[in-house]
Amino acid sequence: MGNLANSTQESLRVVESVIERVQQNVREITAQVEENSAKLGTQNEYFANVFKSMQDMTSLLNLSVSAIGTMGDTFGKQSEVIEKTVSINQDIAKSIINENEQFTSINAMAESNANDIAEVAKQAGAINEMVDEMSRLLKRDE
């Protein structure tokens, strides 16, 4: 029986050693699983932060697009005001040109009238000289 007891004890030691190795492996695997779980948790936090940042960026981009649209509307209105101002200025310039042409025409008529008056005055002077000459002649004959 001694051999059987020794053999049983030896078998128990081998089984015990195997169990200890299995337990050690389970502890190592558990530690790795916990470490991987912690890493996944950290990665999830990173992804959540990236996702939040992307949402924030999208919101900012939407605000920028809205602001650009508003600026475009404002520039469009400014452009309309400028175009209307240019149109009004062109109308004023045309009016000034028309008035200038009318004044030039009136000035030409006034110059023509002045020339006509000078001619009439010249002819009146000639007629007066003739009348004077006739008066002298008639006085001599008397």
Side-chain angles (χ1 to χ4, degrees):
M1 262 229 138
N3 273 343
L4 182 59
N6 279 341
S7 188
T8 301
Q9 280 186 345
E10 186 60 33
S11 292
L12 285 174
R13 272 189 238 130
V14 169
V15 169
E16 214 174 78
S17 172
V18 168
I19 289 173
E20 282 178 16
R21 275 186 274 160
V22 168
Q23 286 176 339
Q24 181 61 33
N25 286 340
V26 167
R27 281 192 294 270
E28 288 175 5
I29 289 171
T30 301
Q32 285 181 348
V33 167
E34 287 174 358
E35 185 180 335
N36 288 341
S37 176
K39 286 180 181 177
L40 285 174
T42 303
Q43 282 181 346
N44 285 340
E45 286 178 32
Y46 289 150
F47 287 136
N49 288 337
V50 167
F51 183 71
K52 175 74 171 105
S53 296
M54 295 287 282
Q55 285 179 324
D56 292 345
M57 250 184 4
T58 301
S59 295
L60 289 174
L61 287 172
N62 285 335
L63 286 174
S64 295
V65 167
S66 176
I68 289 169
T70 301
M71 285 180 4
D73 292 344
T74 301
F75 288 141
K77 289 176 184 173
Q78 285 177 343
S79 177
E80 287 176 21
V81 168
I82 290 169
E83 286 175 2
K84 286 179 182 176
T85 303
V86 167
S87 176
I88 290 169
N89 287 339
Q90 287 175 340
D91 290 344
I92 290 171
K94 286 178 185 175
S95 294
I96 290 170
I97 289 170
N98 288 338
E99 287 176 12
N100 190 31
E101 288 173 355
Q102 289 174 359
F103 285 133
T104 301
S105 176
I106 290 170
N107 189 32
M109 285 179 12
E111 284 179 10
S112 176
N113 287 344
N115 289 337
D116 290 345
I117 290 171
E119 185 62 33
V120 167
K122 185 178 173 186
Q123 288 175 1
I127 290 172
N128 281 337
E129 285 179 16
M130 288 197 291
V131 168
D132 287 344
E133 182 65 30
M134 285 173 72
S135 285
R136 275 194 303 262
L137 289 174
L138 287 174
K139 284 184 184 181
R140 253 197 287 168
D141 286 338
E142 287 185 3

